[in-house]
Amino acid sequence: MRRVIFILLAAIVGAIAAPASAQVSLPGPSAEAQLPGAETKAPAALTSHIPTTGNAAITDDNYRLGTGDKMKITVYGEEDLSGEFLVDGSGQVQFPLIGQVSAGGLTLHEFVTELTTQLGSKYLRSPKVSVQIENYRPFYIIGEVNKPGEYPFENSLNALGAVALAGGYTYRANDHDVYIRRAGSNQEQVLPANGSTKIYPGDVVRIAERIF
């Protein structure tokens, strides 16, 4: 009798222990997802494209100097020849010792080459020159805005920003298009009056009257 009772107890204990053992040894379908770092398999934030300011930003490599640009010129070892210089109305820079140096229409690299050549041929042995733009020349906005005129250029400036600087549209303005004459050009371009239309130093922006 005691033997029968012992066998029955053993069977009951075995039945209870078996599911517990199975639950521990068999990983559930979500076990892999619970592993440390499993949720970072696709780090989208690390591979996402970072938007840039596009033209805004004007790069010194392709920018061409013009009247009103102010440059910081450094001639290494020559403090008397270093300082801030303005491109005048004739596209020239008045530089110590040399006098007029052509700048209008040149890139910064071309201007550095010209200045270095002139200094080296007349006054200095192997001059080292560095140039950077301190302030870009202004742009102009005319036509149907409340405050037409000349305005300082700002990086990332677009058509909407230009109109805002000029006090907004008049009630007669065509607010769908802008007419832009780029620096160095005699022709106007008709472009959308929105944030995608970029404004550059020296541009003349015209807001036309709308046709009723």
Side-chain angles (χ1 to χ4, degrees):
M1 183 67 179
R2 291 180 179 177
R3 185 175 180 182
V4 172
I5 293 173
F6 177 79
I7 293 173
L8 290 173
L9 289 174
I12 293 171
V13 171
I16 295 173
S21 175
Q23 184 177 1
V24 171
S25 61
L26 295 177
S30 61
E32 182 179 353
Q34 295 172 354
L35 293 174
E39 294 182 357
T40 59
K41 285 184 176 180
L46 297 179
T47 58
S48 63
H49 174 68
I50 300 175
T52 62
T53 54
N55 81 21
I58 295 181
T59 59
D60 290 345
D61 290 340
N62 59 26
Y63 181 70
R64 294 195 174 272
L65 297 166
T67 299
D69 284 330
K70 180 184 289 185
M71 296 179 288
K72 181 179 180 181
I73 301 176
T74 302
V75 182
Y76 294 98
E78 302 290 337
E79 292 186 4
D80 293 341
L81 299 180
S82 301
E84 294 184 349
F85 299 86
L86 188 70
V87 182
D88 64 23
S90 61
Q92 306 291 318
V93 170
Q94 297 294 327
F95 199 77
L97 298 179
I98 299 175
Q100 289 188 337
V101 181
S102 294
L106 301 182
T107 65
L108 283 184
H109 178 74
E110 292 168 342
F111 177 73
V112 168
T113 300
E114 175 67 20
L115 182 57
T116 301
T117 299
Q118 292 198 36
L119 286 172
S121 65
K122 298 177 182 179
Y123 303 103
L124 301 177
R125 179 179 296 178
S126 301
K128 294 182 179 179
V129 178
S130 171
V131 178
Q132 66 184 55
I133 297 179
E134 289 287 286
N135 290 304
Y136 291 100
R137 61 188 180 268
F139 76 97
Y140 305 86
I141 183 165
I142 59 177
E144 297 300 327
V145 288
N146 289 308
K147 298 179 181 179
E150 172 187 306
Y151 289 89
F153 174 77
E154 301 175 358
N155 270 331
S156 304
L157 186 66
N158 57 42
L160 294 179
V163 171
L165 286 173
Y169 294 109
T170 68
Y171 72 93
R172 297 182 299 270
N174 169 12
D175 58 3
H176 296 293
D177 301 309
V178 292
Y179 295 77
I180 299 176
R181 187 171 78 245
R182 301 294 187 190
S185 173
N186 294 321
Q187 295 184 340
E188 286 184 329
Q189 303 177 40
V190 184
L191 297 169
N194 57 35
S196 67
T197 296
K198 305 302 180 182
I199 306 300
Y200 296 94
D203 282 356
V204 177
V205 181
R206 182 172 65 88
I207 303 301
E209 184 176 353
R210 72 172 180 267
I211 301 174
F212 293 95

